[in-house]
Amino acid sequence: MSGIKDFDTLRRAMQENYEQPEGPARNARAEHLLTEAEGLNIPLAVIEALGHQLKVYNYSSEKDRMFVPFARLLRMWDERPSDFDEYEIHSLHWVFKWVSAGMLGQPHIPLASIEKWLGEMEHRYRLAGHSERAVRSAEFSVARHVGDLPRAERAYTAWLAADRDSMADCHACELHDHGSWQAERGEDAEALELWRPVLEGEHVCAHEPHAVLASSLVPLLRLGRPDEARAHHLRGFRLVRPMESMRGAYADHVEFCALTGNEARALELLAERPAYFTDTGEPRSRMDFLAVVALLMDRLVSLGLGRQTVPGPAGRTWTAGELAVHARAEALAAAGRFDERNGTAHVSDRVRRRMDRSPLVERLPLGVRSAGTAASRAPRTPVPDSAPADGPGLPALLAEARRLSDTLHPDSVAAWAAVERALGDEEPSPRDHAEMTDHRAMGLGPEGVDLFARAGRLYAEAGDPGEALAAHARGAYAQALAGRSDEALAAVAEPYEQVLTLFAEDGTGVPQAASVLMARARILLQRVHEAAEEDGGRTAEEAYGAAVTAAHELLALAGPEAGNGVLAAARAAEAQAMLGELAAHTGDAEKAAELLARASEAFVDAGLPWFAVEYEARLAALARHLDDPGTAERAARAALEHGAPFLEAVGQAQLHLQLAEVLGDSGRYGPAADHALEAAHWADEGGEGSTLGAWARHQLGGFLLRQGRWAEAAEILESALPELDAGTHGDGAIVQTLWWLGDCLTELGEHREAAERWLKAADTARHWPEQRDHAMLAHLAAEALGHAGLLPQAEQAYRRAGDLWRTLGNAHGLIRALRAGAWLAVRDEGSGLDRARALMNEAVEACGGAAPGDGEGNGEERARLAHELARTHWQFADLLTRSAHDTAEAALSRALFEEALTQVGSAVEGFTSLGEEALHSRTGARLTAGLLEADLERPARAAEHARAVLDAYAGADGSDETVAARRTEAERLLRATEGAAGRD
């Protein structure tokens, strides 16, 4: 590419190149621009092009290439300093620091050369009259790197004592170095206090808080502050991801994942940056990166995943075990080269300590979705090669299994499985055999029909006819779970009749009879739901009646007055729960909530809290429907508390998500986010990351956004988007996620990206019957496009939004779209003012054309439109005024001022008609009128407006910020015009 014919074009090209992403392409362009500069035959052009080349090399993976252009610049300075302007003189001395740090990171450069260079830097800074602060900072870096702690302390003290001047690093960078030194010495709390102004945004620069966020991760974990560490990871990684030069900070994020049980995410980060394994332009950051890779791979090996395929250097396929060996060897080899150069073992010692770190947190959910790698499902502790030979004997196992089954404990199935394993080839007693078979069938659910029948026969052989009938009834219910409810109802009929007869003859007890009645009632409840789906007519009514009768029959048999222990109490509680479900089925939510609450309480009172979980979760949902947040929260918390020890991962996810939504309803977004985070984690663990997990991430992102945690929310929402599916989650969830993401990106200053998300959401919303969301999204996208400087696209988006608002009959949206479009149009140097004037006039017409009639309730709307009209005139005046100031043609400028004065006069009239509620707007417009009169050299009229403003605030509260500002501005205008008023 060529064609640069002048210096200004070269400067624009260098600025455009610097704004491109870091990397080899930007570096290559800088090299080409240097060639172009040399062709201009202007020494300063070459100097600036060399400086540009130095800058892009420094902020890239090719830092080793900056020494040549710097040497050339220094030679040019020594030979002809007059060729340098003030800015380039400053820049030349500034990059001494880059070169010093760059030499330190290149092990082939002798330490003696670095020390000599340090002396050269000190000499040249002294000649230029600069403070020694930057020199002492560079000396500290050298001493710290080689492990000379006494010298490092002296240099650090001198660094802090020296005056800050134009050569000192920015506050953010200095604080990063100060804090990292404290963290290296084990003073983590002190480090975080030093970093606080950077973390809170008080001091920032092009690479901060990026580096501080990364450096803070391990100190926060060591201090037991994992929630803050998680937040810093989510916030910081977004900043580091596009910065090719920040390999060291990127390594910190990989390390954080390896130390918190997030090995799967760490692997994803490695896969995003394959060049980091091999880029040799900065050996020190490559060494640090490989040390972290070794740490991660050793962690995978310890988890039994040494044969898993992992991202690694290009050219071959790597397993975790192979890469562990390779990365460790490469990291230590690099450290060895530094130590050989330095004459110490400090770098190798530091690298070994880093590679050998143990996890600091066993499990820290991050909320973001990790790809389904084996690491995400790995056990958190190494699995032993074989189980211990000694364990409980068969009698103890049998006793434990019977104890658990007698209390209907969730672990009873596993306990009987342990008995079966312990038996081996030994023949069990008929009773033991029956119970083992029965519990094995329970563990199979719908697949256990045949085993339940076998268990029934075994119970009969063991002389327990009541339990035999109960097993057959459980088999019938298993048929219903398999979708064969008609067969199930037929299958349970005989056990039902027989058990009632047997019970009447005292041939069995309440628990066995209640088990049969419970199975039958469950089947009938299943029929209610099926009948409602099939036809909802008479069949459904009959099914409902039969189910209610069955539940009441069960309650009568096993109710509290029966006094038959835990098993009977469980059946009675379940009868209450069934009646609650049936009440909900008929739409009686209040009765359903009452019955479910009673059932849950009964389960807990009976010492069976695990049975309460399902009904507490349903109660929470009903309470939300009934707008009873207190009950909803209590029930959701109880469900989580009672279910946590027993539920599998997906159940945990569901309960955490329910509680998150309940808390979110009441505006407690912090606790809601905590539970949504847990929900996302458990959904991933349970293999439901793309369904339940995506929804949890969607909710989590919303909760974080509502707390103003924009970067964290953006990272979570972006993670959720790929797996949100219209068929599973609804296109509303996708649109809402994109909408929220646009809000986050706007707050983060990423306006182009925000516009992309909003436009994508608008493209979905345009198919909806209700178009308000479509219009709002188009409007938001237009605003973002304008902030991004994409003016033609922004104007087009405002036109789209305006058309939608007009179709919807939403005058306020239309007016604001037209005004915004006008402000964009006026920035066009061609026909922009004419287009802007036309749009403002259209906005004025829209205000008048939308006025409602005199119907009841329209007074407030008329007032709102009157305010919009006055504000439109005021903005029109402001737009014309700015255009007048921008033109060099005196006659046109005066005409625009006069036109603006007419518009602001209409604004004053409009605000005046609205009374005291529009006082501040009225005075603001009058001040605008006064300034316009002053611009038109009519000081008396300007003073009249200023006095009117002061009169309007006579006796007003001076502590009000707006009142104080208006008075100050009016008094300033009055002073400026009083002397010239006589010439008006």
Side-chain angles (χ1 to χ4, degrees):
M1 184 184 298
S2 61
I4 293 179
K5 304 299 183 184
D6 59 76
F7 201 174
D8 287 341
T9 303
L10 175 70
R11 282 173 165 163
R12 284 196 298 271
M14 288 190 294
Q15 181 59 37
E16 289 170 3
N17 188 50
Y18 188 66
E19 291 170 359
Q20 297 302 306
E22 295 177 349
R26 188 173 75 159
N27 295 352
R29 175 66 173 151
E31 292 160 11
H32 173 78
L33 290 174
L34 175 59
T35 302
E36 295 278 6
E38 290 168 338
L40 295 177
N41 200 28
I42 300 174
L44 185 58
V46 176
I47 291 166
E48 290 189 15
L50 285 166
H52 173 65
Q53 194 177 69
L54 251 172
K55 188 183 294 185
V56 299
Y57 282 156
N58 185 61
Y59 294 120
S60 78
S61 60
E62 299 178 311
K63 290 181 186 287
D64 56 331
R65 301 181 66 181
M66 69 179 174
F67 301 118
V68 171
F70 181 74
R72 184 177 172 186
L73 265 177
L74 197 57
R75 185 172 63 253
M76 292 175 72
W77 165 253
D78 288 338
E79 292 173 356
R80 292 177 58 89
S82 60
D83 288 342
F84 287 69
D85 63 13
E86 185 176 351
Y87 179 81
E88 292 304 325
I89 293 171
H90 177 275
S91 297
L92 175 69
H93 287 81
W94 183 268
V95 296
F96 265 87
K97 300 180 295 179
W98 293 354
V99 174
S100 175
M103 287 181 171
L104 205 58
Q106 303 290 332
H108 68 277
I109 298 178
L111 189 60
S113 298
I114 295 172
E115 294 285 5
K116 181 180 178 182
W117 175 256
L118 194 60
E120 178 75 8
M121 177 181 174
E122 182 172 10
H123 172 68
R124 288 180 180 267
Y125 271 39
R126 188 180 300 113
L127 287 178
H130 294 306
S131 162
E132 66 172 12
R133 188 178 183 93
V135 177
R136 299 285 77 82
S137 171
E139 181 188 6
F140 165 76
S141 297
V142 172
R144 178 183 178 184
H145 172 70
V146 303
D148 186 345
L149 299 188
R151 184 186 181 192
E153 288 285 5
R154 290 193 302 273
Y156 184 76
T157 301
W159 173 16
L160 297 185
D163 293 335
R164 282 189 59 83
D165 67 350
S166 61
M167 283 298 110
D169 283 341
C170 74
H171 282 289
C173 289
E174 282 203 338
L175 288 173
H176 176 224
D177 288 340
H178 295 169
S180 63
W181 173 237
Q182 298 304 322
E184 186 175 314
R185 299 167 65 203
E187 300 293 337
D188 291 330
E190 175 66 19
L192 286 159
E193 181 58 27
L194 286 166
W195 288 330
R196 183 181 52 77
V198 182
L199 295 170
E200 292 180 356
E202 183 180 338
H203 300 303
V204 297
C205 69
H207 290 76
E208 293 295 354
H210 316 39
V212 163
L213 284 164
S215 296
S216 71
L217 296 172
V218 168
L220 283 168
L221 292 174
R222 287 194 297 237
L223 288 171
R225 293 156 62 177
D227 291 343
E228 292 176 67
R230 177 201 299 114
H232 286 199
H233 169 64
L234 294 175
R235 177 183 164 200
F237 186 68
R238 283 186 61 78
L239 298 172
V240 168
R241 179 185 272 134
M243 311 288 279
E244 187 211 36
S245 63
M246 300 195 74
R247 177 163 52 184
Y250 199 99
D252 291 340
H253 286 280
V254 176
E255 178 183 42
F256 165 79
C257 293
L259 296 176
T260 57
N262 289 287
E263 297 86 2
R265 177 161 171 85
L267 291 174
E268 289 181 357
L269 303 195
L270 294 188
E272 285 189 31
R273 285 291 190 182
Y276 276 174
F277 288 97
T278 52
D279 283 342
T280 58
E282 190 189 25
R284 182 161 53 173
S285 71
R286 179 172 180 265
M287 173 188 70
D288 289 336
F289 179 77
L290 289 171
V292 167
V293 171
L295 166 71
L296 172 61
M297 295 305 136
D298 284 346
R299 176 66 176 152
L300 292 175
V301 171
S302 74
L303 292 171
L305 300 172
R307 296 184 180 181
Q308 178 176 323
T309 300
V310 294
R316 57 163 288 185
T317 300
W318 295 88
T319 66
E322 292 166 343
L323 187 56
V325 173
H326 171 80
R328 180 174 287 269
E330 288 286 302
L332 288 174
R337 288 192 289 274
F338 280 110
D339 284 341
E340 183 180 1
R341 187 267 306 272
N342 300 337
T344 68
H346 181 71
V347 176
S348 294
D349 290 343
R350 182 177 63 82
V351 167
R352 285 193 182 91
R353 285 195 300 272
R354 190 170 198 181
M355 290 190 295
D356 295 339
R357 274 179 176 155
S358 298
L360 295 171
V361 178
E362 190 66 20
R363 179 186 72 87
L364 181 62
L366 302 179
V368 291
R369 178 80 166 107
S370 290
T373 64
S376 65
R377 298 183 295 277
R380 293 298 96 197
T381 54
V383 179
D385 294 334
S386 60
D390 56 335
L394 181 57
L397 290 172
L398 265 171
E400 177 65 5
R402 191 150 285 126
R403 183 187 69 81
L404 292 174
S405 57
D406 286 346
T407 56
L408 302 176
H409 197 281
D411 292 340
S412 60
V413 172
W416 280 105
V419 169
E420 193 167 359
R421 288 193 300 272
L423 272 169
D425 296 332
E426 185 179 337
E427 185 69 26
S429 70
R431 178 71 190 194
D432 292 346
H433 196 184
E435 291 193 68
M436 279 190 296
T437 305
D438 197 9
H439 282 82
R440 198 183 335 147
M442 292 177 195
L444 293 174
E447 307 296 324
V449 175
D450 292 339
L451 275 178
F452 277 125
R454 184 180 176 193
R457 292 193 295 272
L458 289 167
Y459 278 124
E461 291 174 12
D464 191 342
E467 202 61 55
L469 292 171
H472 286 297
R474 286 191 282 272
Y477 179 55
Q479 286 181 289
L481 291 177
R484 308 198 310 267
S485 58
D486 289 338
E487 296 175 41
L489 202 54
V492 81
E494 185 175 348
Y496 170 67
E497 295 292 343
Q498 289 181 0
V499 82
L500 290 178
T501 301
L502 193 63
F503 180 70
E505 297 171 350
D506 292 331
T508 191
V510 170
Q512 291 76 24
S515 293
V516 176
L517 268 60
M518 183 183 70
R520 180 172 176 272
R522 283 176 172 174
I523 295 167
L524 288 168
L525 182 60
Q526 180 88 355
R527 287 289 297 125
V528 170
H529 297 303
E530 291 176 358
E533 292 176 3
E534 290 167 4
D535 54 38
R538 185 169 181 78
T539 303
E541 292 180 13
E542 292 173 352
Y544 172 78
V548 170
T549 301
H552 278 296
E553 184 181 20
L554 174 59
L555 187 58
L557 175 71
E561 63 277 3
N564 285 292
V566 171
L567 295 176
R571 304 315 180 206
E574 182 142 0
Q576 294 274 20
M578 288 181 187
L579 290 170
E581 288 190 57
L582 289 163
H585 180 75
T586 63
D588 192 344
E590 291 184 3
K591 183 178 180 181
E594 178 187 346
L595 289 166
L596 289 173
R598 197 181 302 167
S600 300
E601 185 178 349
F603 278 124
V604 174
D605 289 345
L608 307 170
W610 46 85
F611 281 125
V613 174
E614 177 183 356
Y615 306 113
E616 287 164 338
R618 292 184 189 177
L619 174 58
L622 278 171
R624 287 183 75 194
H625 174 72
L626 292 169
D627 195 22
D628 182 357
T631 298
E633 182 179 348
R634 285 191 297 273
R637 288 191 183 280
L640 189 56
E641 176 189 350
H642 296 149
F646 310 108
L647 289 173
E648 294 185 353
V650 173
Q652 297 268 17
Q654 291 168 334
L655 293 182
H656 276 291
L657 186 55
Q658 183 181 51
L659 182 52
E661 291 171 345
V662 168
L663 292 167
D665 289 344
S666 62
R668 283 173 288 171
Y669 301 123
D674 293 340
H675 286 285
L677 177 67
E678 287 291 329
H681 166 77
W682 287 113
D684 291 345
E685 290 288 306
E688 294 290 336
S690 62
T691 51
L692 183 61
W695 180 255
R697 273 179 273 281
H698 161 80
Q699 294 282 46
L700 173 58
F703 295 141
L704 291 170
L705 174 143
R706 292 181 181 96
Q707 297 174 75
R709 295 160 65 177
W710 312 111
E712 296 168 67
E715 193 74 8
I716 298 296
L717 293 168
E718 285 175 347
S719 177
L721 262 180
E723 290 178 325
L724 285 172
D725 175 74
T728 302
H729 306 100
D731 56 6
I734 298 173
V735 168
Q736 182 63 81
T737 300
L738 288 165
W739 197 324
W740 281 337
L741 187 51
D743 290 340
C744 293
L745 295 171
T746 295
E747 293 290 342
L748 295 169
E750 300 174 32
H751 298 294
R752 181 195 291 263
E753 294 77 7
E756 290 174 0
R757 303 308 193 281
W758 281 330
L759 288 171
K760 188 174 181 179
D763 194 51
T764 299
R766 70 189 176 92
H767 299 293
W768 294 353
E770 168 55 54
Q771 287 289 284
R772 189 182 186 284
D773 285 341
H774 182 196
M776 193 67 212
L777 287 161
H779 201 127
L780 289 169
E783 290 179 1
L785 289 165
H787 287 305
L790 302 171
L791 304 190
Q793 297 92 325
E795 284 194 64
Q796 183 180 354
Y798 275 124
R799 283 195 297 272
R800 176 182 176 184
D803 290 343
L804 288 165
W805 291 128
R806 185 181 287 109
T807 302
L808 288 167
N810 188 318
H812 300 282
L814 170 61
I815 292 160
R816 289 168 188 175
L818 291 168
R819 289 195 310 232
W823 280 107
L824 283 176
V826 81
R827 292 160 71 176
D828 186 343
E829 295 181 2
S831 60
L833 179 57
D834 291 338
R835 295 203 316 277
R837 187 183 279 114
L839 287 167
M840 280 294 188
N841 281 321
E842 191 177 346
V844 169
E845 292 171 9
C847 293
D854 296 327
E856 184 178 349
N858 285 334
E860 184 179 343
E861 177 60 16
R862 283 198 301 275
R864 287 184 65 207
L865 284 168
H867 194 278
E868 287 283 17
L869 177 59
R871 181 162 289 280
T872 301
H873 282 302
W874 192 7
Q875 286 200 25
F876 200 167
D878 196 11
L879 181 148
L880 292 166
T881 301
R882 294 190 189 187
S883 298
H885 285 302
D886 288 343
T887 183
E889 188 179 338
L892 176 58
S893 176
R894 187 171 186 85
L896 288 170
F897 281 139
E898 293 284 8
E899 186 181 356
L901 193 58
T902 301
Q903 291 294 335
V904 82
S906 297
V908 171
E909 289 177 13
F911 289 132
T912 301
S913 71
L914 293 169
E916 288 303 301
E917 290 189 4
L919 172 63
H920 292 329
S921 296
R922 183 174 80 246
T923 56
R926 290 214 71 154
L927 283 169
T928 300
L931 292 169
L932 284 167
E933 294 285 15
D935 284 332
L936 288 165
E937 300 178 346
R938 297 199 286 255
R941 296 185 189 180
E944 180 183 342
H945 286 294
R947 292 190 189 96
V949 171
L950 293 173
D951 290 344
Y953 288 121
D957 180 6
S959 64
D960 182 290
E961 290 184 5
T962 304
V963 172
R966 291 280 194 272
R967 281 176 172 168
T968 300
E969 194 172 350
E971 289 165 354
R972 186 184 300 118
L973 178 60
L974 200 56
R975 286 195 300 272
T977 56
E978 280 178 338
R983 300 193 301 273
D984 193 353

